[in-house]
Every structure is written in C-alpha cells, then in structure tokens.
Amino acid sequence: IVDKILNDDPDFKGVNVTAIMPFLDDEDCDKIFLKKLQENDDVALELINFVSEDCLTYLVDAYIEGKYPNLDVDKLYPFLDGDDVKKLFYFELRKNK
C-alpha cells in the first residue's frame, strides 16, 4: 500500500494516509511524511506524530541547509528532541546576526 501511495497509483489517490499511519512501521511513516512535505513544502501536522526522531532530525538538518526555505519550523518545536531544538535555536541566532 505504501509503495502505491508513494508512486501515485491512481487507485490509491485520495487515501486518508493519517488513518493508516498507526499501522505502518516508522520507515514507511517517514517516507509518506517526506513525500507530503516535498509536495506541499510544509509540515503535515496530522502525520508528524507518526514519524521517527531520525526523520525529524533529517528535516531540521535539511531546513538548516536551505532545502525547505518556506518551512514553518515553529510547527515542529513540540515534536523535536532537545538537540534538534538547540540546532534550530543556534541556526536562528546566526541567521539574525
């Protein structure tokens, strides 16, 4: 199912991915989340509860590297671990100097 969703299979268009996320492993949740992020260039908050910490760390690192310049990182803070929050804090400090 995940592969069909990721490959935009017409039979799986419109599938409510939030409903199936609790039944998927972390790796598949991460793939779906990142695909939605690439499509919309924004955080799919309804999916973020299901992604791994590694995926969130990747997202923070990618944002810092400039990959998602329009990303509203304020939406991420409640879901990030302390190290990722520190990274973003220091990044914002350097950026505003």
Side-chain angles (χ1 to χ4, degrees):
I1 292 174
V2 171
D3 288 336
K4 291 185 181 283
I5 291 170
L6 294 174
N7 292 318
D8 296 321
D9 186 304
D11 293 334
F12 287 82
K13 282 278 190 217
V15 168
N16 182 357
V17 292
T18 308
I20 64 169
M21 294 285 269
F23 305 103
L24 303 177
D25 63 23
D26 285 351
E27 185 179 319
D28 288 335
C29 289
D30 292 353
K31 288 177 186 176
I32 289 174
F33 176 79
L34 293 173
K35 178 175 175 48
K36 295 290 183 185
L37 179 68
Q38 289 171 349
E39 291 173 350
N40 302 323
D41 200 26
D42 197 12
V43 175
L45 283 180
E46 67 276 5
L47 305 180
I48 204 167
N49 288 320
F50 302 104
V51 300
S52 68
E53 285 185 20
D54 289 340
C55 182
L56 292 174
T57 297
Y58 161 79
L59 184 56
V60 167
D61 292 341
Y63 172 76
I64 289 171
E65 293 169 6
K67 187 169 183 178
Y68 300 108
N70 299 324
L71 182 66
D72 184 0
V73 293
D74 292 338
K75 294 178 183 178
L76 293 176
Y77 288 118
F79 305 99
L80 299 177
D81 66 16
D83 291 338
D84 288 334
V85 171
K86 276 195 260 184
K87 273 192 239 178
L88 282 172
F89 176 74
Y90 289 127
F91 171 72
E92 292 299 328
L93 275 178
R94 285 189 308 268
K95 186 169 85 173
N96 291 325
K97 283 189 174 182

